[in-house]
């Protein structure tokens, strides 16, 4: 099972005194359906290592994924389930080769490493999928506080990425429980959220709300979903 909800962080979220405690609760609530992304622009690798190591233990307990943005080396070292590559990260093909080389040398964490790519155009998604990405994160779909100066790319953009890609597409950017159905019907295989999770008074409850909205959208698409 690949996660359908990606809980993405930023520097401010990671700096919160109770971040690890709340992150553990988020992972326990989401279980295998959730991926927690450690994303930072800060150069403090030691801090990132500490966070990743602490949450990697919860990963084994809950089945939730830990995904580290831009640092495949760190992801493999702590046994994270994935790495998310952005525009400034190493090319997908490079990480695919590293994964294959280390897997051949008997490094289990490398063999199990999922590779995600952040894309902002349909042609980028097609190229990343062909290079071996396991999923794409496409955005931003709606207006978001993370990129206040940039116009939203919209649902039509998401549909183009989905049509061009040969791997699952995760929608990001202004996604709320109310808009999960919109992006699901556009072909998204999952959704990502930052403020919709971390800015809520009860982050685990927000996880449950997102997952419930996703299940409702699936039932709208296929009325037999979940029936025996």
């Amino acid at each position: 099972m690949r996660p359908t909800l990606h809980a993405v962080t930023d520097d401010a979220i990671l700096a919160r005194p109770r971040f690890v405690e709340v992150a553990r609760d988020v992972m326990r609530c989401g279980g295998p359906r959730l991926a927690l992304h450690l994303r930072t622009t800060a150069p403090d690798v030691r801090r990132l290592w500490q966070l990743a190591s602490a949450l990697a233990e919860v990963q084994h307990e809950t089945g939730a994924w830990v995904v580290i943005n831009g640092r495949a080396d760190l992801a493999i070292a702590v046994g994270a389930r994935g790495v998310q590559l952005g525009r400034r990260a190493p090319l997908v093909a490079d990480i695919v080769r590293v994964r294959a080389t280390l897997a051949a040398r008997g490094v289990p964490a490398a063999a199990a490493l999922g590779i995600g790519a952040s894309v902002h155009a349909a042609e980028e998604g097609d190229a990343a999928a062909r290079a071996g990405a396991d999923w794409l994160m496409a955005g931003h779909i709606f207006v978001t506080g993370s990129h206040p100066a940039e116009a939203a790319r919209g649902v039509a953009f998401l549909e183009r990425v989905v049509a061009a890609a040969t791997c699952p597409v995760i929608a990001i950017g202004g996604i709320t429980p109310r808009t999960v159905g919109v992006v699901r019907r556009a072909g998204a295989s999952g959704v990502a959220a930052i403020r919709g999770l971390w800015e809520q008074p009860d982050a685990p409850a927000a996880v449950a709300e997102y997952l419930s909205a996703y299940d409702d959208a699936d039932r709208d698409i296929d009325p037999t979903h979940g029936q025996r």
Side-chain angles (χ1 to χ4, degrees):
M1 173 186 292
R2 290 197 181 277
T4 53
L5 176 59
H6 293 242
V8 180
T9 62
D10 58 22
D11 291 326
I13 294 167
L14 295 182
R16 293 176 180 176
R18 295 184 60 247
F19 168 71
V20 171
E21 179 183 345
V22 175
R24 284 173 176 151
D25 290 341
V26 163
M27 292 173 71
R28 288 176 180 131
C29 181
R33 301 185 67 189
L34 182 129
L36 191 146
H37 288 238
L38 296 179
R39 185 180 68 167
T40 178
T41 59
D44 189 351
V45 178
R46 181 178 180 182
R47 167 67 172 161
L48 185 58
W49 174 279
Q50 291 171 338
L51 292 174
S53 297
L55 295 177
E57 297 179 7
V58 188
Q59 176 182 253
H60 299 304
E61 169 197 335
T62 63
W65 289 28
V66 172
V67 177
I68 301 179
N69 283 42
R71 294 297 302 265
D73 56 343
L74 182 56
I76 292 171
V78 302
R81 287 295 305 274
V83 60
Q84 183 73 34
L85 304 177
R87 287 178 171 178
R88 293 182 295 275
L91 294 175
V92 170
D94 292 339
I95 302 304
V96 169
R97 283 192 291 269
V98 170
R99 178 176 65 181
T101 299
L102 293 178
R105 293 176 181 173
V107 181
L113 185 72
I115 300 173
S118 298
V119 301
H120 304 87
E123 55 271 23
E124 291 178 2
D126 177 55
R130 290 177 181 274
D134 297 303
W135 70 85
L136 306 177
M137 190 170 284
H140 55 282
I141 307 303
F142 303 114
V143 174
T144 171
S146 299
H147 302 280
E150 298 181 22
R153 292 183 170 87
V155 174
F157 154 76
L158 175 62
E159 291 173 336
R160 290 194 296 273
V161 175
V162 170
T166 55
C167 62
V169 177
I170 309 302
I172 189 172
I175 310 295
T176 69
R178 288 187 176 184
T179 57
V180 166
V182 175
V183 297
R184 183 72 183 96
R185 288 189 291 274
S189 297
V191 298
I194 304 175
R195 287 165 177 77
L197 288 174
W198 303 107
E199 298 299 332
Q200 303 308 308
D202 188 336
V207 168
E209 187 176 2
Y210 271 98
L211 292 176
S212 177
Y214 189 91
D215 290 341
D216 288 344
D218 268 6
R219 280 190 286 271
D220 287 343
I221 295 170
D222 178 5
T224 66
H225 177 77
Q227 294 182 14
R228 293 182 181 273

